[in-house]
Amino acid sequence: MDETICGVFPNQDLQETLGFDTYWYDYITGPTSNVKTGQSGYSYRCDIRSTGKPFGVLKLRYDIGSQVQTNEGPALEFDDIPVEYPDTAREVTFEGVEGEGWVWTFDVSIYVAWRYSDNQVLLARLTYWGPDEGLDEQVERFHSVLEPALV
């Protein structure tokens, strides 16, 4: 497997920190625009699959606008995350990255949403099929792997 996954994740960090054993990945990146709003910016999509438990899929979406698309239905406004997930959403920061963010868990996924100062939004989703008692530790490990990729 490649040393760097999706152009941003050191494969060794995924394996050693998370225990995420990548067997397949795909990513695409480039300029984007929204015809309705006239906004333009940068788009990045990354999909990574693991060979087994406790993780299945790691997905990143970075795009223009203020919405995030979770797997639970229609797009969600970034500012509505703590309202939609009041039991698990908490504010998160990343060292050296300007903006604001949320981390939350829902169903079998750990989510991180980050709004940069230029109003581009990133959503990261990691599916987790491990025991609930280890979830907080996995959230922290996900944070440490994700942080360098956000800069």
Side-chain angles (χ1 to χ4, degrees):
M1 184 53 61
D2 297 335
E3 285 186 32
T4 303
I5 307 298
C6 287
V8 295
F9 293 108
N11 194 24
Q12 185 174 351
D13 288 355
L14 289 173
Q15 290 175 344
E16 291 177 2
T17 304
L18 276 178
F20 192 98
D21 191 18
T22 302
Y23 77 87
W24 176 90
Y25 73 94
D26 186 44
Y27 74 104
I28 187 169
T29 185
T32 189
S33 61
N34 183 319
V35 177
K36 287 182 185 176
T37 65
Q39 285 181 296
S40 62
Y42 193 72
S43 175
Y44 174 87
R45 299 206 182 330
C46 167
D47 295 293
I48 310 171
R49 297 198 179 144
S50 174
T51 59
K53 291 184 178 182
F55 303 108
V57 177
L58 172 56
K59 291 185 174 200
L60 267 79
R61 302 289 183 263
Y62 172 80
D63 220 332
I64 55 175
S66 61
Q67 296 184 328
V68 294
Q69 180 65 55
T70 65
N71 279 8
E72 291 83 48
L76 175 67
E77 286 293 327
F78 180 88
D79 290 332
D80 292 340
I81 292 169
V83 175
E84 289 294 318
Y85 302 98
D87 295 336
T88 62
R90 60 182 169 84
E91 287 186 77
V92 66
T93 59
F94 290 96
E95 192 173 319
V97 185
E98 287 188 34
E100 58 186 327
W102 293 99
V103 61
W104 72 99
T105 57
F106 182 80
D107 197 21
V108 296
S109 298
I110 301 167
Y111 291 95
V112 175
W114 187 261
R115 180 167 51 194
Y116 290 85
S117 54
D118 64 0
N119 287 324
Q120 296 235 156
V121 173
L122 175 131
L123 178 68
R125 175 180 172 247
L126 177 65
T127 59
Y128 174 70
W129 298 303
D132 285 344
E133 57 270 9
L135 189 56
D136 288 341
E137 183 181 338
Q138 293 300 345
V139 169
E140 292 305 315
R141 288 179 178 182
F142 186 36
H143 183 116
S144 68
V145 168
L146 191 57
E147 188 170 55
L150 298 180
V151 179

